Amino acid sequence: MKLYSAIIFDMDGVLVDSEPYHIKAEKELFRKVGLDIPEEEHAGYTGTATDVMWREIIRLHKLDISIDEIVALNYRESEKYFLSLPQIPPMPGLVVLLDWATDTGISMAVASSSVPKVIDIIMEKTGLRKYFRQVVSSQVVGKSKPEPDIFLYTADQLSVPPEQCIVIEDSTNGIKATKSAGMFCVAYCGTSSCSRDTAQADLQITDFKDLKPILENMFC
């Protein structure tokens, strides 16, 4: 059995079911800029990078605003919304897994495509920050998923070779990035991500309680 040394978690859709929060924040921004986005169109942007979503909205709705300006507004609206929440619940069964990994001495990190401020807010509101040696945003690294940069950078920060890292992801782009980095990929099918293509993952789970016995064998 191949030995592993670290677990890297995506954040949105893995640590927290954050998609409903992002949708509410986006709807508020749509209202502020005078946009009436149909529900079907809005749903089609799920899992899409913020700048990609807004480029398409600007094109379709002939919005007279620059991409940089609207993306900055989107980030500010997201920060405002997440700050307004008293707490954010972690995914079911996650804390039990994190407690076990901590007790076992496994190095853990977060590698997220979200902006640093939103990551910090979610880490605080969930109470999960204490579990992770590193928390990394793709904005700090450069290229976003599906490029492998964020995972390679995070592994380097943990001082762990890529081949000894297990990544838990929920998005197609995140899975592609994981495999490009030469890492073992666990696809987590949470409440907001089950419709995404996870075929490239090495393992697929729907509940964190099912992952612990598997990891016990991989970190022996």
Side-chain angles (χ1 to χ4, degrees), residues 31-187:
R31 185 190 66 78
K32 286 185 175 181
V33 298
L35 280 172
D36 183 17
I37 304 292
E39 291 289 339
E40 184 177 358
E41 179 187 343
H42 194 186
Y45 298 126
T46 300
T48 302
T50 301
D51 61 331
V52 174
M53 178 186 78
W54 279 108
R55 287 184 194 281
E56 185 65 8
I57 289 174
I58 288 172
R59 184 186 68 82
L60 288 175
H61 298 272
K62 299 179 174 58
L63 195 61
D64 185 21
I65 192 170
S66 72
I67 185 66
D68 289 342
E69 183 179 358
I70 196 65
V71 167
L73 281 171
N74 197 134
Y75 289 154
R76 289 198 295 272
E77 198 65 42
S78 293
E79 290 170 24
K80 177 182 174 182
Y81 182 81
F82 281 106
L83 277 171
S84 73
L85 300 171
Q87 63 180 8
I88 302 172
M91 286 291 193
L94 175 66
V95 171
V96 173
L97 178 68
L98 296 178
D99 282 335
W100 165 80
T102 299
D103 292 342
T104 306
I106 298 169
S107 295
M108 293 186 289
V110 175
S112 172
S113 295
S114 288
V115 293
K117 286 186 179 179
V118 171
I119 295 173
D120 289 342
I121 294 167
I122 291 177
M123 288 292 99
E124 178 184 351
K125 300 282 186 177
T126 57
L128 296 177
R129 182 63 183 85
K130 63 184 179 180
Y131 292 105
F132 302 107
R133 283 181 52 192
Q134 298 289 331
V135 176
V136 180
S137 166
S138 59
Q139 283 201 344
V140 175
V141 178
K143 294 181 180 178
S144 299
K145 306 167 188 177
E147 299 302 322
D149 301 47
I150 188 170
F151 291 127
L152 294 173
Y153 177 86
T154 303
D156 183 66
Q157 293 297 297
L158 292 173
S159 299
V160 175
E163 64 270 18
Q164 292 182 18
C165 294
I166 293 174
V167 176
I168 303 178
E169 263 285 359
D170 74 312
S171 71
T172 302
N173 282 340
I175 292 168
K176 288 179 179 178
T178 302
K179 298 313 297 175
S180 294
M183 300 177 181
F184 187 95
C185 185
V186 176

